[in-house]
Amino acid sequence: MLRLAAASLAGTAIEFYDFFVYGTAAALVLGPLFFPTFSPVAGTLAAFGTFGVGFVARPLGSILFGHFGDRRGRRPVLVASLLLTGASTVAVGCVPSYGSIGVAAPVLLLVLRFLQGLGLGGEWGGAVLLTAEHAPAGRRGLWSSFPQAGPAVGFLLANGVMLALSATLTDAQFARWGWRVPFWVAGVLALGGLWLRSSLAESPRFLEIDDHARVPLAEVVRGHWRLVLLTAGALSVGYAIFYAVTTWSLAYGTERLGVSRTVMLACIMAAVLVKGSLTPLVALLSDRYGRRPLCLLGCTGAALWMFPMVALLATGEPLLMFLGFLGALLAFVTMFAVLGAYLPELYEPRVRCTGAAVGYNLGGVLGGALTPIVATALAEHSGRVPWGVGAYLTGVALFSLGCFALLPETRPVEVVAVEPVAG
């Protein structure tokens, strides 16, 4: 289990590195380079628009790779999704700017971002299911948290490279070629991930299935549509929080508040580091107290913290910004640390790869794709404190709270044998 969990964590970290490095670049440099005819705010919105395309592609990727995951196995999905995401990420780093090839530059950016999202849409289901279906029932939450910690590791890798480049290069060097380096690094990481995944065994639960679904998506739509919609709505707050902290706030802090790239990246990375380190602990609590109670607690915390978070961000003070980000990500991890066990347990094994992945990635469209765009537009028409962004995030949290309240508990119940009483 330890070897399997470590390989799942590493692979997921690499795939999310690819996805996150684009978000950081969109917040910092892609607007001026690929949309130079736009105003600064419009250029940022356009860059976030290409960022959102990846989220739109993720449910399509979960349908495509989920079909093969439910028909052919979880393991092949991991290899194919990693290849697709890694290759498209390296290609982003090679796209010439608008000044070199004109309108073809943003078009190529859109296509490659779509392919990134397609690959990541297949990654999560395969990685989480392979771990969850190997894990013993009483510790499924703990072991399934390893791939759930992968996004934090991927984010820290992506932003660590960006931070190092930002601190050592001039603005002109960073804009000319420095931002491309993290995308090229993705190729080396992808090769390492393929090596790690080459020795993984197929899920025993998949091998036990006698009658595989012919068209998994059709079965999910016919028999589990309500569950898919509820999980998508429930997870939207997590995506909204994460990308408000890691993507929108980065652009807002550097452009509106005048905080340096280095300081903003350091504050965000410190909060993500704490969040990632707490993931196994929260998941272990879900094995003891249940998945749903922790999700409800995290949603409630998010609803209460969004206004304080934007107020702390607006100060521009590093310590206060860090505290604002940390509170939001603690609410986030209370929900998302348990999803590696919770979502697979909600779906029957024959359609689990498709159902769990589609619900997970639809939540990304609702929360992740829209949040940087909506938050940027709301902040543009607000004063120094973007209260409109706080209201938007609070509304998303309340919506997700209602969806979580309608989902059932899934934690396995231990059966204790009772000795017969003599006489």
Side-chain angles (χ1 to χ4, degrees):
M1 277 307 308
L2 186 60
R3 184 175 64 85
L4 175 66
S8 293
L9 185 152
T12 307
I14 291 165
E15 292 240 26
F16 274 91
Y17 167 92
D18 298 350
F19 201 73
F20 288 145
V21 77
Y22 189 100
T24 304
L28 295 177
V29 296
L30 294 187
L33 290 176
F34 290 89
F35 304 95
T37 60
F38 292 13
S39 69
V41 173
T44 300
L45 284 170
F48 282 153
T50 64
F51 174 73
V53 166
F55 286 98
V56 175
R58 282 173 62 170
L60 300 177
S62 64
I63 292 171
L64 173 64
F65 288 101
H67 177 88
F68 292 103
D70 284 322
R71 294 279 299 162
R72 304 297 180 189
R74 323 307 192 197
R75 185 175 173 273
V77 166
L78 297 181
V79 175
S81 63
L82 186 58
L83 277 172
L84 177 59
T85 309
S88 56
T89 303
V90 172
V92 169
C94 300
V95 176
S97 66
Y98 185 95
S100 299
I101 60 173
V103 72
V107 171
L108 284 172
L109 207 60
L110 277 171
V111 171
L112 292 171
R113 179 60 176 173
F114 182 86
L115 293 176
Q116 261 194 333
L118 205 67
L120 190 62
E123 158 67 23
W124 184 86
V128 166
L129 290 190
L130 200 62
T131 308
E133 291 181 341
H134 271 92
R139 284 291 179 264
R140 189 177 295 134
L142 174 63
W143 289 114
S144 300
S145 72
F146 279 76
Q148 284 299 93
V153 177
F155 178 87
L156 291 171
L157 281 173
N159 285 271
V161 175
M162 282 286 192
L163 181 61
L165 290 166
S166 178
T168 55
L169 300 177
T170 65
D171 288 345
Q173 290 172 325
F174 186 80
R176 188 165 61 250
W177 59 268
W179 70 271
R180 298 180 183 274
V181 174
F183 290 90
W184 298 335
V185 170
V188 179
L189 295 176
L191 291 175
L194 290 172
W195 176 76
L196 283 171
R197 289 182 166 179
S198 62
S199 61
L200 294 181
E202 183 54 80
S203 157
R205 191 67 189 90
F206 173 80
L207 296 175
E208 292 172 1
I209 301 173
D210 296 322
D211 182 24
H212 297 287
R214 287 181 57 83
V215 185
L217 179 63
E219 290 197 20
V220 169
V221 172
R222 185 170 57 249
H224 304 280
W225 63 270
R226 182 175 179 273
L227 185 57
V228 169
L229 293 179
L230 282 176
T231 52
L235 302 187
S236 60
V237 64
Y239 285 101
I241 290 172
F242 192 84
Y243 289 102
V245 169
T246 62
T247 303
W248 166 75
S249 67
L250 182 58
Y252 182 81
T254 55
E255 294 173 9
R256 288 287 299 275
L257 303 179
V259 182
S260 73
R261 284 196 306 262
T262 304
V263 170
M264 287 302 303
L265 286 170
C267 291
I268 295 168
M269 287 175 63
V272 172
L273 178 63
V274 176
K275 186 271 294 185
S277 65
L278 290 176
T279 298
L281 175 60
V282 176
L284 187 62
L285 292 175
S286 80
D287 283 327
R288 182 174 180 84
Y289 299 108
R291 327 294 189 206
R292 184 171 170 269
L294 288 174
C295 291
L296 293 172
L297 177 63
C299 252
T300 303
L304 295 173
W305 188 251
M306 292 302 96
F307 282 110
M309 184 194 78
V310 297
L312 291 169
L313 168 63
T315 66
E317 295 294 328
L319 179 59
L320 296 180
M321 290 192 297
F322 163 73
L323 292 175
F325 298 153
L326 180 61
L329 292 182
L330 289 179
F332 167 89
V333 76
T334 306
M335 296 175 279
F336 270 54
V338 310
L339 293 183
Y342 194 20
L343 288 193
E345 289 169 347
L346 286 169
Y347 292 87
E348 58 180 302
R350 57 186 274 117
V351 295
R352 183 174 283 164
C353 196
T354 300
V358 169
Y360 183 83
N361 288 299
L362 277 178
V365 176
L366 296 174
L370 295 177
T371 293
I373 299 171
V374 173
T376 300
L378 290 173
E380 174 65 12
H381 301 290
S382 66
R384 183 175 177 85
V385 181
W387 296 118
V389 177
Y392 166 74
L393 294 173
T394 301
V396 175
L398 292 174
F399 168 70
S400 293
L401 183 63
C403 292
F404 271 124
L406 295 174
L407 288 172
E409 177 56 72
T410 62
R411 178 174 62 97
V413 178
E414 295 184 12
V415 178
V416 180
V418 179
E419 294 290 337
V421 179

